[in-house]
């Protein structure tokens, strides 16, 4: 697998170099053919054609670069759950997959607590945000109730009247382990993820 990943990265660099060189060469030719001044409508027909062709090459190069970047990015998620859930595109795909399998509340709770801890809130704002998370994910009446044991749930219920920044830490750790051992392995076997890691000819 490491050999394959090195091969993919090598091909990415080669293709990127080829298209960069091609675009650079066409830009040079375009500058030679383009008059120093004057509106585009007065350019010779062959120069106008070249400018359109150059634009298509630039778009193709950009799409290829994005494709290889996405593949390398997805390959990093395979052995690193943290890389997946801390990557904007990765967590979006993971959440969509979890939603299809009726487990989106776990990643949504984990992200909500991550954001809660990052804000370093105090006073009324701390109380308001903590109670919003409690009502959404922890309360027995919540429609998105997360899967934590009664001990952790009751501990949060006891402290929600005077919450601290660490009130959800233990619950977040439990949900992290649950996702890593359950939904994450299934995500790696899903066709949508596998499609991202395949060479373009297989897609």
């Amino acid at each position: 697998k490491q050999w394959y990943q090195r091969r993919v990265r090598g091909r990415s660099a080669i293709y990127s170099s080829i298209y960069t060189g091609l675009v650079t060469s066409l830009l040079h030719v375009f500058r030679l053919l383009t008059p120093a001044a004057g509106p585009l409508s007065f350019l010779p027909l062959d120069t106008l054609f070249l400018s359109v062709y150059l634009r298509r090459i630039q778009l193709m190069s950009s799409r290829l670069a994005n494709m290889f970047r996405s593949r390398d990015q997805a390959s990093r998620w395979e052995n690193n759950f943290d890389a997946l859930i801390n990557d904007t595109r990765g967590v979006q795909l993971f959440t969509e997959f979890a939603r299809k399998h009726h487990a989106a509340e776990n990643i949504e709770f984990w992200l909500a607590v991550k954001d809660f801890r990052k804000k370093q809130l105090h006073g009324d704002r701390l109380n308001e945000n903590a109670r919003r998370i409690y009502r959404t994910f922890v309360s027995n009446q919540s429609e998105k109730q997360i899967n934590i044991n009664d001990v952790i749930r009751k501990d949060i219920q006891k402290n929600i009247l005077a919450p601290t920044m660490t009130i959800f830490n233990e619950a977040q750790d439990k949900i992290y382990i649950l996702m890593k051992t359950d939904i994450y392995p299934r995500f790696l076997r899903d066709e949508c993820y596998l499609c991202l890691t395949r060479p373009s000819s297989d897609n």
Side-chain angles (χ1 to χ4, degrees):
K1 186 173 292 295
Q2 291 178 349
W3 171 85
Y4 171 74
Q5 290 176 347
R6 287 197 299 270
R7 182 183 174 192
V8 168
R9 285 194 292 269
R11 288 171 58 187
S12 302
I14 291 171
Y15 293 152
S16 177
S17 176
I18 290 172
Y19 275 95
T20 299
L22 180 58
V23 170
T24 302
S25 299
L26 286 171
L27 278 171
H28 179 67
V29 173
F30 180 62
R31 292 192 187 100
L32 291 176
L33 294 176
T34 304
L40 189 63
S41 59
F42 290 100
L43 291 178
L45 183 60
D46 56 345
T47 305
L48 288 172
F49 174 79
L50 180 62
S51 67
V52 172
Y53 185 72
L54 175 61
R55 178 58 181 161
R56 290 181 179 178
I57 291 295
Q58 289 173 324
L59 288 173
M60 186 186 302
S61 178
S62 176
R63 287 169 182 169
L64 272 174
N66 290 334
M67 181 182 68
F68 287 120
R69 203 162 31 237
S70 298
R71 190 186 306 159
D72 290 341
Q73 186 180 27
S75 297
R76 287 195 295 270
W77 302 337
E78 184 173 2
N79 299 307
N80 193 333
F81 181 56
D82 288 340
L84 171 66
I85 60 176
N86 286 289
D87 181 273
T88 303
R89 179 59 176 157
V91 79
Q92 180 185 2
L93 292 172
F94 185 72
T95 302
E96 291 173 0
F97 176 80
R99 187 171 291 116
K100 288 193 298 184
H101 291 79
H102 311 289
E105 68 278 359
N106 293 318
I107 184 63
E108 289 176 3
F109 168 76
W110 189 88
L111 291 171
V113 175
K114 177 185 176 183
D115 185 63
F116 171 75
R117 294 168 63 178
K118 186 190 299 183
K119 289 178 179 177
Q120 293 294 317
L121 302 171
H122 302 280
D124 291 341
R125 292 191 64 198
L126 169 61
N127 295 338
E128 179 184 343
N129 279 264
R131 288 167 187 166
R132 183 184 302 116
I133 294 174
Y134 172 78
R135 289 193 303 269
T136 305
F137 301 105
V138 181
S139 169
N140 291 324
Q141 287 74 43
S142 173
E143 294 183 0
K144 295 184 176 182
Q145 190 182 71
I146 54 173
N147 185 13
I148 52 176
N149 60 52
D150 288 339
V151 175
I152 297 176
R153 194 180 308 277
K154 288 178 180 178
D155 188 53
I156 295 174
Q157 289 172 343
K158 181 178 69 175
N159 294 308
I160 195 62
L161 294 177
T164 64
M165 292 299 301
T166 61
I167 186 172
F168 300 112
N169 283 14
E170 190 173 3
Q172 188 186 36
D173 291 342
K174 291 292 183 183
I175 292 301
Y176 173 90
I177 294 172
L178 178 63
M179 292 190 298
K180 187 175 182 179
T181 56
D182 179 33
I183 195 73
Y184 173 56
R186 287 189 280 159
F187 171 78
L188 295 179
R189 295 192 298 269
D190 184 68
E191 185 64 26
C192 289
Y193 170 74
L194 293 175
C195 188
L196 289 174
T197 61
R198 289 175 185 153
S200 58
S201 59
D202 294 340
N203 285 321

